[in-house]
Amino acid sequence: MAEPVTPIEQAERHVAAWVVIAIVMVVYVTGLFLYSRFNPNFPVVYTDIEDHFKYGCIGAEAATGPSASGIPYWIWAVLPDMFPEKLPGKGYASLGFVYEPGHDTPIGFGRSKVYIDRLGMNCAICHTGTVRDTPSSTPRIYLGMPANTFDLQAYLRFLIACVTDGRFTADNVILAIKARKSLDPLETVVYRQAIYETREILLLRARQLSFMASRPDWGPGRVDTFNPYKTVQFNFPMDNDHSVGATDLPSIWNQTPRLGMHLHWDGNNESLDERDKSAALGAGVTPVTLDLKSVTRIEGWMLNGLKAPAYPYAVEEGLASQGAAIYQNACAACHDFGKEYVGKVTPIGEIGTDRGRLDSFTYELASNMNLLYAGYPWRFTHFRKTNGYVNMPLDGVWLRAPYLHNGSVPTLRDLLDPPEERPKTFYRGYDVYDRKKGGFVSDVAGENGRHYFLYDTALPGNGNGGHLYGTRLSAAEKDALVEYMKKL
């Protein structure tokens, strides 16, 4: 028989129950506060598809741990304040980023709250460019064109240079952030950890990408697509791999007629879906963080709504009419949608262009690429090794300068000259248009304190030889052909 509970014991139990309830309430309220303050929430969804392409998230900002590429917004924002001497000019714009009024981040970054606000690159980072009519003109922004002014390699090097500087400490970064915004004690604790993690991740990237120091610089509008895959995705040793794979960024217009074509410069994949998801990995997405809904939405727009922009300047119609006949005879079979050779690989021995990019994509890499997204329904299966480069459609070709897969020829008119007569060096990153030759002005070394990139065709991977098609035409025929291609 249970002993009777004394009044004192009853009071003690009553107090204990209220203490437990109070503790539960404190934990609950604290949990609600922390969740509302730092919870990973859904990224902003833009109603307008063009805004979503420019500023929406694809999952790169959510990646954490050793494979992370997202960077806390306020750390990113204060780096130019802390290390202005490590940039070629004022702020991130000096790296060729494209800004629009009213936005505190450039086109090509998605921003989302993942405990704290974080940035991650999206599709537009490589596929948005600008054109100016004259040096004093306001740049026009074109979605889907190669990012002709943006220097991705210089951006990566800037981030790495910042975190390897002894001044990159939690105290100094937090001080720089507090000069721009207030941080409460809890936010300060979170940012201290984020600063440490950002440093460790970028130091890892520095080791993984150290091979870049032994290759020619990419320059604006170019990227070595697959050599970084070898180290970041697969931990390949690069000691005995001296390949140079830097190529021009591609345009992404008119994707529906490209269904079934060989894709990438060397035609190593014929699946648009795999091409897009591999590009997302290159932008910093991981298989776990891929925002499938967002990527699928962008893919749908690319397939059905993203068209090549029309040439905005006057065309000499009589001359273009003459060029149309030349084009049909000399170019259409390889470069017109629906024609016999478009979207197919021409062997390197026939086309004769620089083979650096072709050699950088190996059989071993192709096999490993087909392991990506393992465990997901969209695991890759289409990557393969080829023996040449793809005959690309020429839609919007006026906006795709410089030319050839490695961007080694500045204008359409230069491409029609024999290789020995093409420019040996020229400048990249300038966006003033050359209406006569079809391309961007390439003899300007700099303006307003910004220095443009000197491209040297004598360096490994930068050769401008090959593609002899049209080089035997007369000067008048070449001029007519260029005039017609402006309309493609």
Side-chain angles (χ1 to χ4, degrees), residues 44 46 49-61 69 97 105-111 119-128 143 147 150 152 252 276 279-285 294-295 298:
V44 176
Y46 293 85
I49 185 58
E50 292 190 1
D51 285 339
H52 186 73
F53 174 74
K54 291 184 286 188
Y55 301 109
C57 296
I58 61 173
E61 76 295 338
S69 66
F97 284 106
T105 57
I107 291 174
F109 280 97
R111 183 173 175 177
L119 293 180
M121 293 187 291
N122 63 27
C123 310
I125 197 76
C126 292
H127 305 294
T128 301
L143 304 185
F150 175 49
L152 175 60
I252 56 171
D276 296 341
L281 290 174
V285 165
S294 177
V295 171
I298 293 169

Side-chain angles (χ1 to χ4, degrees), residues 417-422 424 464:
D417 286 335
E420 60 272 15
E421 297 178 17
R422 296 168 184 167
K424 301 296 187 292
N464 65 352

Side-chain angles (χ1 to χ4, degrees), residues 154-169:
Y155 172 60
L156 295 174
R157 286 174 168 166
F158 169 69
L159 296 179
I160 291 169
C162 291
V163 302
T164 54
D165 190 297
R167 294 170 291 167
F168 188 87
T169 65

Side-chain angles (χ1 to χ4, degrees), residues 269-315:
N269 199 305
E270 56 187 22
S271 165
L272 282 172
D273 183 63
E274 290 190 13
R275 183 208 60 185
D276 296 341
K277 287 182 172 61
S278 67
L281 290 174
V285 165
T286 69
V288 175
T289 66
L290 174 72
D291 190 331
L292 185 61
K293 184 177 181 180
S294 177
V295 171
T296 301
R297 184 183 176 199
I298 293 169
E299 286 175 330
W301 175 61
M302 288 164 53
L303 284 167
N304 301 306
L306 184 56
K307 307 299 182 184
Y311 186 72
Y313 308 113
V315 173

